[in-house]
Amino acid sequence: MKDHILCREDFMDFPIGEFPYDPDHTAMGEYQYVTEKGYRGRWLDQVCNYTWNGTGPTWLITGQDGRHAMECMRVEKNNPHRIFPTLETGTPFWKNYTVSVSLRRLSLGGMAGLVFCLNHSIDTLVFALEDRETAALRYRHKEDILLLGQAAFPQDPDDTYRLSVDCQDDLARCYVNGVLLIEARTPLAARGGKVGITADCPARFSDFEARTTAEEARAIAARAAAHKAREAAEQAKHPAMKLWKKIDLGNFGTSRQARFGHLLGDGNWQVVLAQMQRRVSRDAYGFISCLTAVDLDGKVLWQLGEPSDQAERLGRVSADMALQVYDIDGDGFDEVICGWDFEIRILDGRTGRVKRAAKTPVADQEDEGLIGAPYGVYAFARLNPDGIRICNLRGLPQPRDILIKDRYCRLWALDDELNTLWHDKSPTNTGHCPLPVDVDGDGKDELLAGYRLLDSDGTELWHYPIEKDHTDEIVAGRWKPDDPAGYFACVSGTQGFFIGDFYGNILKRDGIGHAQRVSVANYCPDRKGLEIAVTNFWGHQGGIFLYDCDGEPIWEMQNEMNGNIIAPVNWDGDGAELILTNADPDGGGLLNGAGLRAVSFPDDGHPVLCCECLDLCGDERDELIVWDYHSMYIYTQADNPKPQTYHPCKFPAYNASNYRGEYAFPDRGFLAFRADRSLLRPRDRAGRAKGQNND
């Protein structure tokens, strides 16, 4: 008999009011670990949508007749992402249970019910009452919904129904008011998983309960203990973290608007931190208000502008600031290249003094066709730059060209004298982080900007056959063994994750919701080639997906958190990279290729908002840098220093960005491409080479 209580919730511990949520519905959680304040109890909400800004919470705790209930308040559905508000509880180790809830449908315009056997919020079984007449059992997975069974069940908004699901091995039985309506055999029931409630219209949930047998409760505890033992055994294989540096950021702290470089030319690293202010609309026109350069002992080298005691306000930005640290003139000292008050400035990294400056381009093009501009117009007479990329468009011995852009539509290429080389206005979204890469081996960078490949002179060569949304991140590389061809791995919001070739063809695609981050590295040394890690955010956030070199799924999971960086970390120096999630000491850290937490952060009060990995000590292994608006901690390996033989090729620090696709290749040969120039033909929006017969 299933009389052992796994979970019983009457919501009486919750104060009447709102379940914690982000009222601004910002994109901060894409790259920063953010939790909203308030009591959550045992419940987790992984669903978010930027269109909900100002609309209030998804979930309300209400009270009637001395009893509490949890109410879903969302009406808007699937705009622009497929969204099913869900509150989840339990652990992945639960199985063979009965879960039940009392449900009153305050609207009959959508669905409301139970989730169970949940791996993550878009990998779950659902038993729900739908519309006015139906009960249905469905499997939600990524962008697909599979019907497993349904039954007629007329509903009344004034009635309360007791929904329950009994899972035993591979059999799921679905009941309403004790009457069996649907049963189905599926391996998804046998896998078990978390449980919870879901609705896409107003609905009231109360008296939630999950039960199992005493024997199964012992088995659940054993599975949890076995997992903990596997994790402990895995962590014993890797050096622990050791605190190396601790820096007080005073009143000049920021979020991920930090850049690392060699400002003093002495081989040591320094940090430049940018505070910003918003103009006009959210992050659309953010601009730098203060730059502070410090060394790794926290000594301030110089400061431009005025720092603010409102660091949390001025640092709370999800967009890139126009800022890079790079030796653009080849004098042996990194310069700071930045957008400042409608100028592009090249600053002496040692002093912050202006070495060269030029006004940003006049933004006098017609607003018609301008993508992504709030209110349909560009707000300023001159460009408010959204980001900076260092490129080699002229085929020089080292990159000395600068790419600037507006938010989503226009690009300008500048030389190191800040003269304009070319300008492009895109018919589709440029995305956040155009990737300069020499695809044909001629010494000049081409540029993948959103879905378009541009030649070094700005001419469009081809366009992937996608029109919607935008590309957040891109990785280029030769990650398939014995395959000389290069590929792009792209994450493009609602358009999912895809792998494309260098000729405009999409070879593999997976709809995982809003695809956000991507990295490529040797995460699974026992597999051929390199692996690709991907995360999602808007809609159903927090999923981590691992693919093999061909784009075939290996595993998917949810670590119940946002801010998953998924950068490859050379922690051991043995050629196998680990996956950085975030800096939380309980759930963050470094995952191995099997999804186990291999290295954890110490519980020492360190900041958890931002994290980064970079070889700062010089032994080729990565340090872990974590910071918030007030302090920065740097961790190295407990066995540092240690001689290394593995020297991975990683994304250059001089093109830092929130939106950079990360990689760790065994050597630079993985970035040496020889695409056939004759096949890099201009293509139309459907992906056909221009002049191609359409029959």
Side-chain angles (χ1 to χ4, degrees):
M1 179 179 294
K2 293 177 178 173
D3 55 4
H4 179 91
I5 303 297
L6 291 170
C7 167
R8 178 177 286 163
E9 179 65 83
D10 60 9
F11 302 107
M12 292 300 293
D13 286 345
F14 286 84
I16 298 298
E18 301 171 343
F19 190 85
Y21 77 109
D22 175 7
D24 296 327
H25 292 284
T26 69
M28 283 289 289
E30 292 174 344
Y31 301 95
Q32 285 96 184
Y33 176 46
V34 180
T35 58
E36 300 304 324
K37 295 179 180 178
Y39 178 69
R40 293 173 176 78
R42 68 192 73 191
W43 298 91
L44 176 69
D45 179 7
Q46 289 291 95
V47 181
C48 59
N49 189 357
Y50 62 83
T51 66
W52 292 348
N53 183 31
T55 64
T58 298
W59 299 94
L60 284 175
I61 299 92
T62 62
Q64 301 85 26
D65 302 323
R67 303 175 66 189
H68 286 187
M70 185 71 74
E71 293 189 6
C72 178
M73 285 290 103
R74 287 291 169 210
V75 174
E76 181 184 7
K77 306 174 181 66
N78 306 328
N79 177 30
H81 316 285
R82 172 162 279 179
I83 300 169
F84 298 100
T86 303
L87 280 183
E88 56 190 82
T89 189
T91 78
F93 310 112
W94 288 11
K95 62 173 59 176
N96 294 329
Y97 49 65
T98 298
V99 57
S100 59
V101 73
S102 294
L103 166 65
R104 180 178 173 185
R105 303 215 48 202
L106 305 180
S107 165
L108 301 180
M111 69 82 208
L114 290 163
V115 294
F116 59 101
C117 299
L118 181 149
N119 178 34
H120 55 79
S121 61
I122 47 173
D123 181 13
T124 184
L125 289 170
V126 184
F127 174 50
L129 302 184
E130 300 182 352
D131 302 321
R132 296 173 179 273
E133 304 288 340
T134 307
L137 173 63
R138 300 182 186 272
Y139 175 45
R140 296 177 188 162
H141 189 221
K142 301 176 182 176
E143 289 293 297
D144 297 323
I145 301 176
L146 177 65
L147 178 65
L148 301 180
Q150 65 180 12
F153 187 78
Q155 301 150 52
D156 189 306
D158 297 323
D159 290 339
T160 296
Y161 305 99
R162 188 69 183 175
L163 276 63
S164 61
V165 177
D166 180 72
C167 291
Q168 187 62 44
D169 301 325
D170 66 347
L171 181 62
R173 293 186 174 95
C174 305
Y175 301 81
V176 177
N177 296 339
V179 177
L180 177 64
L181 295 184
I182 302 167
E183 61 180 3
R185 290 195 179 275
T186 169
L188 297 165
R191 79 176 182 183
K194 299 170 73 177
V195 295
I197 55 178
T198 184
D200 65 0
C201 61
R204 179 180 298 161
F205 298 89
S206 58
D207 298 319
F208 182 92
E209 189 175 81
R211 293 171 173 263
T212 190
T213 64
E215 180 182 10
E216 184 61 35
R218 290 189 290 271
I220 290 170
R223 287 192 289 270
H227 175 81
K228 188 174 182 179
R230 286 194 300 273
E231 191 174 78
E234 177 64 25
Q235 293 188 16
K237 300 175 185 176
H238 306 276
M241 293 188 197
K242 175 177 69 175
L243 182 62
W244 181 51
K245 298 282 187 180
K246 182 178 178 181
I247 303 172
D248 181 359
L249 299 182
N251 62 350
F252 52 82
T254 187
S255 57
R256 278 181 59 88
Q257 308 305 322
R259 303 291 185 264
F260 295 81
H262 302 285
L263 304 177
L264 304 181
D266 59 1
N268 296 315
W269 289 88
Q270 292 82 41
V271 191
V272 179
L273 302 109
Q275 290 182 345
M276 60 78 66
Q277 291 178 274
R278 291 179 173 87
R279 286 173 162 143
V280 181
S281 176
R282 294 175 68 125
D283 290 347
Y285 302 103
F287 71 103
I288 295 172
S289 57
C290 180
L291 286 178
T292 306
V294 300
D295 65 19
L296 296 187
D297 292 319
K299 178 184 176 182
V300 175
L301 305 177
W302 51 264
Q303 193 168 74
L304 181 64
E306 298 181 27
S308 172
D309 291 329
Q310 299 180 13
E312 294 195 24
R313 292 292 301 167
L314 301 190
R316 191 175 172 83
V317 57
S318 59
D320 272 349
M321 291 296 95
L323 173 66
Q324 297 296 357
V325 175
Y326 177 63
D327 184 7
I328 193 74
D329 57 13
D331 67 350
F333 299 89
D334 280 352
E335 284 73 45
V336 176
I337 306 163
C338 64
W340 189 276
D341 195 23
F342 301 102
E343 290 184 346
I344 299 299
R345 293 184 178 181
I346 299 177
L347 309 178
D348 188 319
R350 293 164 288 187
T351 65
R353 294 192 181 97
V354 177
K355 299 179 75 170
R356 184 170 290 114
K359 296 292 185 182
T360 59
V362 175
D364 59 356
Q365 295 83 7
E366 293 292 329
D367 289 324
E368 183 178 356
L370 187 61
I371 297 168
Y375 314 113
V377 297
Y378 197 75
F380 300 103
R382 289 191 179 275
L383 173 70
N384 186 99
D386 181 69
I388 288 177
R389 305 288 170 264
I390 306 301
C391 311
N392 191 355
L393 302 172
R394 293 175 289 164
L396 301 177
Q398 71 172 32
R400 295 184 70 163
D401 303 313
I402 300 169
L403 186 81
I404 57 177
K405 59 189 285 289
D406 65 11
R407 186 72 166 151
Y408 290 121
C409 188
R410 294 172 294 184
L411 307 170
W412 287 263
L414 313 177
D415 65 18
D416 51 335
E417 300 287 333
L418 303 182
N419 301 305
T420 299
L421 299 173
W422 52 260
H423 163 256
D424 177 75
K425 183 178 181 181
S426 178
T428 54
N429 200 301
T430 59
H432 290 287
C433 190
L435 179 69
V437 56
D438 181 9
V439 302
D440 58 3
D442 67 350
K444 299 180 182 180
D445 283 339
E446 286 71 42
L447 190 76
L448 186 59
Y451 308 120
R452 307 164 68 221
L453 186 71
L454 305 183
D455 208 346
S456 57
D457 62 0
T459 302
E460 181 180 316
L461 295 171
W462 50 253
H463 190 297
Y464 281 127
I466 304 177
E467 298 288 328
K468 297 179 180 179
D469 214 324
H470 62 261
T471 295
D472 281 305
E473 295 189 356
I474 310 164
V475 176
R478 296 174 50 228
W479 52 73
K480 296 185 181 184
D482 305 318
D483 186 346
Y487 299 94
F488 291 118
C490 304
V491 284
S492 298
T494 58
Q495 303 307 294
F497 156 65
F498 70 88
I499 297 173
D501 65 17
F502 284 178
Y503 307 107
N505 304 300
I506 295 176
L507 308 177
K508 200 75 177 181
R509 192 169 177 182
D510 194 11
I512 60 169
H514 183 103
Q516 187 64 47
R517 294 224 70 184
V518 62
S519 67
V520 180
N522 186 19
Y523 294 129
C524 302
D526 57 334
R527 289 180 173 270
K528 68 173 186 176
L530 304 181
E531 289 71 47
I532 306 167
V534 176
T535 61
N536 63 7
F537 186 68
W538 292 116
H540 293 254
Q541 64 173 315
I544 303 175
F545 305 82
L546 192 70
Y547 302 85
D548 68 16
C549 62
D550 296 312
E552 296 296 331
I554 300 174
W555 51 256
E556 56 192 78
M557 63 174 285
Q558 174 181 283
N559 73 340
E560 302 189 353
M561 311 170 95
N562 57 31
N564 294 306
I565 299 301
I566 64 164
V569 178
N570 176 23
W571 189 253
D572 297 275
D574 61 0
E577 302 280 333
L578 300 176
I579 304 170
L580 174 60
T581 56
N582 60 51
D584 184 79
D586 295 321
L590 309 180
L591 303 179
N592 68 7
L596 277 175
R597 188 160 64 148
V599 182
S600 60
F601 281 91
D603 189 4
D604 59 359
H606 66 265
V608 299
L609 181 70
C610 305
C611 60
E612 187 65 273
C613 61
L614 192 66
D615 173 24
L616 298 178
C617 288
D619 75 344
E620 300 291 340
R621 292 187 297 177
D622 288 322
E623 277 63 54
L624 297 169
I625 309 110
V626 301
W627 71 96
D628 61 11
Y629 309 111
H630 310 293
S631 64
M632 176 178 287
Y633 286 43
I634 303 175
Y635 296 93
T636 190
Q637 297 82 4
D639 61 356
N640 183 291
K642 182 179 178 182
Q644 301 298 308
T645 58
Y646 172 56
H647 310 291
C649 171
K650 296 207 171 191
F651 198 102
Y654 63 72
N655 263 337
S657 168
N658 284 343
Y659 304 95
R660 67 182 186 266
E662 307 274 8
Y663 58 80
F665 296 138
D667 56 63
R668 291 201 62 81
F670 285 71
L671 289 168
F673 307 119
R674 291 290 185 271
D676 188 338
R677 185 75 188 181
S678 67
L679 298 178
L680 295 175
R681 298 172 58 193
R683 293 172 178 260
D684 62 20
R685 296 281 79 78
R688 296 182 294 259
K690 290 185 178 179
Q692 174 179 316
N693 190 315
N694 293 337
D695 294 338

